[in-house]
Amino acid sequence: MNDQSESLMLVYLRRIEGRLDELRADLFEIKDRIGMLEAGYSTLSRRMDRMDDRLKRIERRLDPAHNPPT
């Protein structure tokens, strides 16, 4: 290979490396954001479970079959 073709190859390799660095940064950001979404979903899911339990207790108290008149 002559010097010009080697130089051109190095230019292309540097461009590819730069683009890979950008992709790595984007992937890191995406993983971070997905982690935040998972944490938010987990919190929401726990809150919904507690609300469901509370609603079931309220329904039991209001159900006449479970609370016969005294």
Side-chain angles (χ1 to χ4, degrees), residues 13-52:
L13 288 173
R14 286 186 185 116
R15 284 184 191 172
I16 291 170
E17 187 176 25
R19 289 184 181 183
L20 283 175
D21 288 341
E22 291 173 11
L23 288 172
R24 282 188 195 106
D26 288 346
L27 186 58
F28 179 78
E29 181 183 350
I30 289 169
K31 284 181 175 182
D32 193 39
R33 294 177 75 179
I34 287 174
M36 288 188 288
L37 286 171
E38 288 174 336
Y41 173 77
S42 175
T43 300
L44 182 61
S45 180
R46 284 191 304 267
R47 291 180 69 194
M48 293 296 288
D49 286 344
R50 286 194 309 254
M51 286 176 49
D52 188 49

